[in-house]
Amino acid sequence: MSIDVSGLTKTFGDFVALDDVTVSLPTGQLTALLGPSGGGKSTLLRIIAGLDTADAGTVTIEGREATNLPARKRNVGFVFQHYAVFKHMSVAKNVAFGLEIRKRPRAEIDKRVAELLELVHLSQFRDRMPSQLSGGQRQRMALARALAVEPTVLLLDEPFGALDAKVRKELRDWLRRLHDEVHTTTIFVTHDQEEALEVADEIVVINDGRVEQVGSPDTLYDKPANDFVMRFLGETTDLAGQTVRPHDIDVSMSPGVAGSTPGTVTRILRVGFEVRVTVTTDDGAEALVTMTRTLARSTGVEEGAKVWLTAAKGATAVPVMRAV
Amino acid sequence: MASTSSTSVGSGSTVVTWVLRLVVVGYLFFLIGWPSALIVRRTFEGGTQAFTEALQDPDVTHALQLSVVVALCAVAINLLFGVGMSLLLVRYEFPGKRALSALIDLPLAVSPIVVGLALILVYNPRFGWFGESLDAHGIQIIFAKPGMVMATTFVALPLVIREVVPVLEDMGDDQEQAANSLGANAWQTFWRITLPGIKWAVVYGVVLSLARSLGEFGAVKVVAGNISGETTTAPVLVQQKYQNFEQQTAYAMSFLLVAAAVVCLVIVALLRPKDHKPSRATATAAIQEKAS
Ligand SMILES: Nc1ncnc2c1ncn2[C@@H]1O[C@H](COP(=O)(O)OP(=O)(O)OP(=O)(O)O)[C@@H](O)[C@H]1O
Ligand SMILES: [Mg+2]
């Protein structure tokens, strides 16, 4: 186990930002810390990096007790949400910083910087100042800077948060490929579930300062521990006391199946290939069903039609625990 | 009609801008420009000869040397403590921080004469708090250079801090944390990251302090006493010469003081990169202090 966090508690005044968090993050993997805004993701990451101190609990990095180690001795690469580039240094100088601090020989520094700039596709920008780079380029530079010191772990706080959707997606794929190349244990924070599901080997869901669930993307999607995790990982709707995914509901025009929920179609919205059907059940609740255009046509769903809803066989469902 | 009304609105606002400009220019002219210009005119009324003669007066050269030494010492102290205090105020949380921050502005608010008197109360060799014991060890503060440096330092204290604090706040501690996580210790972080970030604010604060220190009169006059010209600084000598009807010498020295201040400010204006904005409040305060 690469990073072990145990019983971590952090309060700001009387606000509890982390509440007895215990989690193990595996070596060599790409782990996502996923959760809503204010959930405590950055706080956890900063404590692992030594940029903040916890009120209680321990941090162990690669078997080394690190709880009271200052940030500079943890050999952790940290990439900040807003890059934190050194504004007065050129791209190459930024990347070289950690190596110069470690007093490596000049030739070695130059070689390593050239390699890293190659890796992040910034070779032709080596003499530019950070202010002359685009957001995505700055982010890659920050990544190269963190990788330069060959960190035991690489921590990224919402690495793509400030970028537009297209660049985000490119960088996300690139991060995945990069990780497959360098294999540094990597933890990145995100509040975008799609990003986490697509890129990460392992996901830690954090909410209100607590770990809700740890698992692979498939585990989390297929076997959510509770309805919070289920809701957070994708669209959900409530049907007969259960939380299910809208595409996991079968619609029938006759009351064939036992336990099906009767209702009336109140609204149909077509978005590209998908049809979104709102059904008001007989007990007054609303359920959302999504299906393909083809299926909608063959079933004969239309506004005002009487329908019976059932959760599809094998659908992921958890009991409704709290009101939305 | 429509077009005339729209132009009249346009010219109306232009008139307002022009009136405002006129008011500002007039204000600056009567308060600063004209008096300074008159000093220059008086200095060179009789050609440059009177001016060079005045500068050969040994009193004058001594006073100028003393002023420069005292000002440089005060600036060096204010540079070290100013940067340190700014870091303390911006980067650390501690009880009494707001009180300290308010206290730093005190020298701008208090009359320099009072500062001088207060220093005498503390360090006077006969009845001061520390004075007696210091005197017993042969250290003289009041009526000597250390006291003058202290008075000048006190008066110019806020200038570096008030320049550096907003820039430090603006910069945030992201870059410093990044440096830490890359292995830099506190000193390396300060030297390689923080200092380059606040460089221009420090330069500006130093130059303002220098200009202010060279011109300090009240506080220095009180602590310097009048030991037969031994502790007379340039501004104090200006007053003495003026009262002794040696106006020409007084004007010549005034001119030098004004010129030094102007050179300082021009150098900074030239050095400063376009995007650095000094805090106007302290800049004007210092300049007006000088003008008064
Ligand atoms: N320095 C601080 N002082 C007081 N409260 C803080 C401080 N830092 C964080 N908090 C609080 O702790 C909670 C967790 O903050 P944190 O930054 O870890 O959230 P996050 O999960 O990273 O959210 P986001 O996705 O918005 O970045 C928030 O409610 C925040 O208000
Ligand atoms: Mg955050």
Side-chain angles (χ1 to χ4, degrees):
Chain A
M1 283 298 148
S2 178
I3 302 176
D4 288 293
V5 162
S6 168
L8 220 54
T9 300
K10 174 77 181 174
T11 53
F12 294 107
D14 49 12
F15 177 82
V16 182
L18 288 180
D19 185 7
D20 195 15
V21 169
T22 299
V23 65
S24 285
L25 305 162
T27 301
Q29 299 225 317
L30 187 54
T31 306
L33 288 185
L34 176 68
S37 187
K41 308 179 295 292
S42 298
T43 308
L44 177 56
L45 207 65
R46 292 173 56 81
I47 291 175
I48 293 174
L51 298 172
D52 256 335
T53 47
D55 302 335
T58 58
V59 177
T60 313
I61 299 174
E62 294 285 8
R64 184 159 77 130
E65 165 69 37
T67 315
N68 296 313
L69 221 53
R72 69 192 166 87
K73 291 194 178 151
R74 293 196 185 194
N75 200 29
V76 160
F78 200 97
V79 177
F80 293 78
Q81 185 165 1
H82 298 287
Y83 324 130
V85 297
F86 301 142
K87 290 194 187 119
H88 58 283
M89 295 182 193
S90 69
V91 171
K93 277 276 174 200
N94 261 275
V95 177
F97 185 85
L99 298 169
E100 284 178 359
I101 291 290
R102 283 166 176 70
K103 304 222 160 45
R104 296 280 166 77
R106 189 73 246 166
E108 187 196 322
I109 295 180
D110 289 345
K111 183 163 161 281
R112 179 108 183 98
V113 168
E115 274 170 21
L116 281 160
L117 289 179
E118 188 68 33
L119 186 71
V120 299
H121 308 303
L122 286 177
S123 297
Q124 72 269 43
F125 299 122
R126 54 168 295 131
D127 296 319
R128 284 213 195 169
M129 295 308 278
S131 59
Q132 297 167 306
L133 298 180
S134 75
Q137 290 165 343
R138 261 178 244 178
Q139 185 65 296
R140 279 182 279 149
M141 183 191 90
L143 208 55
R145 184 178 71 181
L147 285 171
V149 298
E150 288 167 10
T152 332
V153 277
L154 183 61
L155 306 175
L156 306 112
D157 193 356
E158 304 210 23
F160 316 125
L163 304 170
D164 71 55
K166 188 165 171 294
V167 182
R168 262 182 103 105
K169 198 152 165 38
E170 277 171 22
L171 275 178
R172 181 203 292 179
D173 296 342
W174 177 83
L175 176 68
R176 181 69 242 184
R177 285 199 306 275
L178 182 80
H179 182 263
D180 294 341
E181 272 176 53
V182 296
H183 291 299
T184 307
T185 307
T186 306
I187 304 173
F188 76 103
V189 165
T190 177
H191 52 233
D192 180 345
Q193 85 284 350
E194 198 189 311
E195 198 162 284
L197 289 172
E198 202 180 305
V199 180
D201 299 316
E202 181 98 344
I203 299 178
V204 179
V205 182
I206 294 190
N207 180 39
D208 269 343
R210 285 186 312 272
V211 174
E212 298 277 355
Q213 191 175 3
V214 183
S216 69
D218 287 352
T219 313
L220 259 64
Y221 201 83
D222 295 338
K223 300 193 186 65
N226 53 41
D227 81 329
F228 173 83
V229 175
M230 172 126 186
R231 279 174 208 283
F232 201 74
L233 284 185
E235 205 170 27
T236 58
T237 189
D238 290 347
L239 181 69
Q242 300 250 293
T243 302
V244 290
R245 306 243 175 255
H247 57 254
D248 278 346
I249 297 179
D250 286 340
V251 179
S252 156
M253 304 307 287
S254 56
V257 189
S260 62
T261 310
T264 314
V265 176
T266 43
R267 208 163 92 88
I268 293 184
L269 180 70
R270 189 181 157 193
V271 185
F273 70 87
E274 192 186 66
V275 177
R276 307 168 69 86
V277 183
T278 309
V279 176
T280 307
T281 55
D282 288 359
D283 55 16
E286 275 197 348
L288 177 71
V289 183
T290 57
M291 57 182 83
T292 61
R293 172 89 180 125
T294 326
L295 185 61
R297 204 180 288 152
S298 67
T299 321
V301 173
E302 54 186 24
E303 272 180 33
K306 189 84 187 156
V307 291
W308 282 262
L309 306 179
T310 31
K313 241 201 199 123
T316 303
V318 294
V320 177
M321 292 199 288
R322 38 195 145 161
V324 184
Chain B
M1 279 307 277
S3 68
T4 27
S5 74
S6 77
T7 47
S8 77
V9 170
S11 67
S13 59
T14 334
V15 167
V16 172
T17 350
W18 274 105
V19 168
L20 282 178
R21 273 185 206 168
L22 215 62
V23 168
V24 171
V25 170
Y27 171 79
L28 290 178
F29 176 73
F30 284 108
L31 206 63
I32 302 172
W34 199 19
S36 311
L38 277 183
I39 290 203
V40 179
R41 222 189 75 192
R42 283 291 171 86
T43 309
F44 296 105
E45 227 166 18
T48 49
Q49 201 203 339
F51 179 64
T52 41
E53 251 169 42
L55 293 187
Q56 269 144 26
D57 181 340
D59 280 359
V60 172
T61 41
H62 182 263
L64 285 173
Q65 272 171 9
L66 184 63
S67 268
V68 169
V69 169
V70 168
L72 287 181
C73 290
V75 166
I77 294 172
N78 272 333
L79 170 63
L80 286 180
F81 279 87
V83 172
M85 289 279 261
S86 305
L87 283 171
L88 195 66
L89 282 174
V90 178
R91 294 286 186 258
Y92 297 90
E93 286 301 326
F94 54 91
K97 181 167 148 172
R98 287 165 64 104
L100 182 67
S101 174
L103 204 64
I104 283 169
D105 281 334
L106 195 69
L108 280 183
V110 168
S111 165
I113 306 271
V114 178
V115 174
L117 283 177
L119 285 175
I120 287 193
L121 281 183
V122 179
Y123 295 104
N124 186 291
R126 265 167 301 150
F127 53 83
W129 283 12
F130 296 126
E132 283 174 69
S133 51
L134 284 175
D135 196 45
H137 291 88
I139 302 170
Q140 202 188 0
I141 297 209
I142 298 301
F143 307 135
K145 263 187 212 155
M148 297 162 73
V149 171
M150 276 166 88
T152 312
T153 308
F154 186 106
V155 169
L157 176 93
L159 298 174
V160 170
I161 299 176
R162 289 294 163 226
E163 285 301 321
V164 172
V165 161
V167 177
L168 265 182
E169 272 169 354
D170 208 47
M171 189 174 144
D173 59 357
D174 273 16
Q175 294 182 57
E176 291 161 17
Q177 292 190 348
N180 275 168
S181 77
L182 288 168
N185 61 29
W187 173 250
Q188 288 168 321
T189 305
F190 172 76
W191 194 246
R192 289 168 177 250
I193 305 298
T194 315
L195 197 57
I198 59 173
K199 187 171 61 184
W200 289 110
V202 171
V203 169
Y204 204 70
V206 161
V207 172
L208 283 178
S209 305
L210 187 64
R212 180 78 183 79
S213 303
L214 278 175
E216 177 47 30
F217 173 77
V220 169
K221 190 175 158 74
V222 175
V223 293
N226 195 359
I227 307 174
S228 63
E230 201 46 38
T231 55
T232 310
T233 60
V236 177
L237 191 67
V238 169
Q239 191 221 22
Q240 284 176 7
K241 294 281 179 191
Y242 191 79
Q243 282 174 347
N244 295 340
F245 304 105
E246 293 177 55
Q247 269 109 338
Q248 204 49 50
T249 318
Y251 290 138
M253 294 195 74
S254 303
F255 170 75
L256 278 183
L257 288 174
V258 171
V262 169
V263 166
C264 284
L265 295 179
V266 167
I267 287 175
V268 167
L270 291 180
L271 281 180
R272 181 157 37 112
K274 287 273 185 301
D275 54 296
H276 171 74
K277 292 179 191 70
S279 72
R280 285 285 150 221
T282 50
T284 22
I287 289 163
Q288 284 179 355
E289 267 288 322
K290 262 212 84 61
S292 65

